[in-house]
Amino acid sequence: MSVEKNEDDLRTTIAELRAILSVKEAELAALQRKKQVVQKYGLNNNEILRYSRQLFLREINVQGQKKIKDSSVLIVGVGGLGCPAALYLACSGVGHIGIVDYDNIELNNLHRQILFAEASIGTAKVTAAAETINRLNSNVKITPYKIQLNSKNALDIIKNYDIVLDATDNVATRYLLNDACVLSGKPLVSGSALRFEGHLTVFNYNGPCYRCIFPEPPPPETVTNCGDGGILGVAVGTIGVLQALEVLKIILDLPDVISGQMLLFDAMETKFINVRLRPRNANCVVCGEQPVIRELIDYEEFCGAKANDKNPNLNLLKREERITVEEYNRIAKDNSEPHVLIDVRSPEEYQICCLQNSINIPFAEIDKDHSLQEIRNSVKKLQEKHPAVNLYFLCRRGNDSQKAVQCLKKVFTEDTLSIRDIIGGIHAWSNKIDPSFPKY
């Protein structure tokens, strides 16, 4: 009985081994077939299924999708522009996406920066963005850089990518990216948005670079970002999606890339207008026939402004032309100095919060005749009892208030009127005097 049982066990074991071998042979055959598909088309079966709706397009097809898969794109700035651009590039199958941002997520980002959720507040933007993108498409390689791009690191990072997408919000970084892309021979897909409007163009791609169009930076006090001017989330998102579109057209070598043109988007009228830009400047200092700039420079010094969009602080006045919120709080409490307080924020901001006894005259209206007359009347009323009167200006962060002081000192020249601004504006008041004041 034991011999027969051993023979039965042996036969059972052999049968089991044959079954296992058969399964392994089938798996190996499937892997070989899959490998043949990848070798033939450059795409595996999952990729063919995932991108099938793109593969149907004659302008893309399998060869085009392979180009997208093999491409690499660097997105600088993961904000209102960079988030939708990254989403669509990842979902389209771009093989490698680098994302650069120095900042952490704040509550006021969430209305337009669609890669992030409430639970991500306080997290590094590049970390949260990488996690979201990987959940959408695990085939995409994401390289996060939690840094501020500058003249020392830009070229080393950009050299690893085919195309650079500028999704920043400050002039210094725009010049930095332009020069780095020219020196590296990379196309630069540039977008910007403010309030209800957006701009889109491609630089250094069979056409002019940024310096060809803007050889000199604007004065810092004339530049407004979305942190000060406001932005409609849908408007900036529209430009971000269009940036992704231009990137894909460059990868696929499609015609009509928006180089040498600028698309203007008006969200209020839902209108797009294309305007022709000046051609490439043969005398351009970076891309011209005899370039002067052969290495990256100090762009903060060149532009007179910081290379980030976090709380830009202008320094237009002397210290004696300014007072702190603590000093103004003491003056207001003691009623020790007769004064007029002009809040130069927009009416919409003034509705959010305001200091007691302030007068709202928006900065955009400050030099208009009716505004000047209103200020004169307020000052004159006080001067009936007090010969010397102080005129204080207040804004959100202490930038527009300085410009208002400069403007009004040219109009009111009498010695009996002291004109100063309040350093740090409403933000400083909320931080140092009254925490119940909302921050925005």
Side-chain angles (χ1 to χ4, degrees):
M1 291 292 293
S2 62
V3 173
E4 293 177 355
K5 184 176 185 304
N6 288 339
E7 289 177 349
D8 289 341
D9 290 343
L10 183 59
R11 281 193 290 270
T12 300
T13 302
I14 292 171
E16 289 174 348
L17 289 172
R18 284 175 176 169
I20 293 171
L21 181 61
S22 177
V23 170
K24 294 299 181 182
E25 287 175 344
E27 290 177 351
L28 180 60
L31 287 172
Q32 288 175 339
R33 289 194 298 272
K34 184 176 180 181
K35 184 177 180 181
Q36 289 172 354
V37 170
V38 173
Q39 288 175 342
K40 184 175 181 181
Y41 301 109
L43 304 173
N44 61 42
N45 286 353
N46 284 335
E47 290 171 326
I48 289 173
L49 178 59
R50 177 187 283 265
Y51 306 118
S52 58
R53 301 310 187 264
Q54 288 182 179
L55 301 181
F56 295 162
L57 300 173
R58 181 183 305 168
E59 295 82 357
I60 299 180
N61 61 56
V62 172
Q63 288 77 20
Q65 189 62 49
K66 180 63 164 55
K67 287 183 180 179
I68 296 173
K69 178 181 177 179
D70 293 340
S71 66
S72 57
V73 180
L74 181 68
I75 299 175
V76 184
V78 196
L81 294 167
C83 282
L87 276 174
Y88 274 95
L89 291 175
C91 291
S92 297
V94 170
H96 182 197
I97 298 176
I99 47 177
V100 179
D101 204 300
Y102 61 87
D103 207 359
N104 296 328
I105 299 165
E106 299 177 2
L107 181 62
N108 60 29
N109 299 147
L110 299 186
H111 95 285
R112 65 196 183 281
Q113 298 179 14
I114 56 176
L115 287 176
F116 311 133
E118 290 180 358
S120 304
I121 292 173
T123 305
K125 287 186 177 181
V126 293
T127 302
E131 292 173 352
T132 301
I133 294 170
N134 279 324
R135 284 197 297 269
L136 285 167
N137 191 345
S138 60
N139 295 325
V140 178
K141 176 185 176 184
I142 305 296
T143 303
Y145 303 90
K146 191 181 189 302
I147 58 171
Q148 184 171 320
L149 212 64
N150 58 42
S151 300
K152 295 180 180 179
N153 58 32
L155 290 174
D156 285 338
I157 294 174
I158 287 173
K159 69 181 181 183
N160 300 308
Y161 298 89
D162 302 320
I163 302 167
V164 177
L165 189 152
D166 180 2
T168 62
D169 193 19
N170 68 87
V171 176
T173 304
R174 290 191 182 279
Y175 279 98
L176 166 66
L177 285 176
N178 176 78
D179 293 0
C181 284
V182 172
L183 295 175
S184 304
K186 311 287 185 178
L188 177 63
V189 180
S190 177
S192 63
L194 186 67
R195 301 187 179 98
F196 293 89
E197 299 176 350
H199 301 160
L200 171 73
T201 190
V202 175
F203 293 116
N204 200 41
Y205 184 76
N206 303 321
C209 77
Y210 185 74
R211 280 186 185 267
C212 292
I213 309 303
F214 306 105
E216 296 293 334
E221 64 271 17
T222 66
V223 178
T224 303
N225 61 30
C226 69
D228 292 323
I231 185 68
L232 179 67
V234 178
V236 68
T238 299
I239 299 299
V241 171
L242 290 173
Q243 284 183 277
L245 171 63
E246 293 303 306
V247 167
L248 292 172
K249 286 162 65 178
I250 293 171
I251 292 170
L252 296 166
D253 196 25
L254 294 178
D256 301 320
V257 171
I258 191 166
S259 172
Q261 305 174 65
M262 181 171 285
L263 181 143
L264 309 179
F265 172 55
D266 183 343
M268 290 295 285
E269 297 186 20
T270 317
K271 181 184 294 184
F272 292 90
I273 300 174
N274 273 29
V275 297
R276 188 171 298 279
L277 299 176
R278 292 192 298 270
R280 182 170 169 267
N281 181 6
N283 297 317
C284 176
V285 295
V286 68
C287 79
E289 296 175 359
Q290 296 180 326
V292 175
I293 296 177
R294 299 181 182 273
E295 59 184 22
L296 301 182
I297 64 174
D298 185 332
Y299 293 90
E300 291 189 340
E301 180 181 0
F302 174 66
C303 296
K306 292 194 299 181
N308 63 61
D309 55 2
K310 291 289 288 184
N311 303 334
N313 296 313
L314 299 179
N315 290 295
L316 305 177
L317 302 177
K318 299 176 182 177
R319 178 60 183 88
E320 58 268 23
E321 296 176 293
R322 314 189 73 187
I323 65 169
T324 65
V325 288
E326 293 90 346
E327 290 170 329
Y328 180 76
N329 184 46
R330 185 171 60 252
I331 290 169
K333 276 186 174 180
D334 299 344
N335 198 23
S336 56
E337 297 179 14
H339 69 275
V340 176
L341 176 62
I342 307 293
D343 189 323
V344 297
R345 294 175 298 153
S346 69
E348 294 76 24
E349 292 178 90
Y350 193 73
Q351 290 174 7
I352 295 172
C353 59
C354 61
L355 294 189
Q356 189 175 5
N357 299 323
S358 61
I359 301 171
N360 183 216
I361 301 178
F363 177 71
E365 303 287 322
I366 200 71
D367 59 349
K368 300 293 192 304
D369 289 343
H370 64 88
S371 299
L372 295 175
Q373 189 59 50
E374 183 177 359
I375 295 171
R376 283 193 181 94
N377 291 341
S378 299
V379 169
K380 186 176 180 180
K381 186 175 180 181
L382 277 178
Q383 286 178 331
E384 291 176 357
K385 296 182 179 179
H386 309 278
V389 172
N390 293 317
L391 182 58
Y392 297 122
F393 286 92
L394 174 75
C395 67
R396 182 186 174 205
R397 287 177 173 158
N399 294 327
D400 283 346
S401 58
Q402 292 184 72
K403 291 184 270 187
V405 169
Q406 287 183 326
C407 178
L408 268 293
K409 280 198 169 186
K410 297 176 183 178
V411 177
F412 298 99
T413 58
E414 54 264 40
D415 295 334
T416 56
L417 182 63
S418 173
I419 305 176
R420 289 181 285 178
D421 94 303
I422 300 176
I423 299 170
I426 289 293
H427 264 226
W429 187 268
S430 177
N431 287 330
K432 299 178 180 181
I433 305 299
D434 187 353
S436 69
F437 263 59
K439 296 178 182 178
Y440 59 92

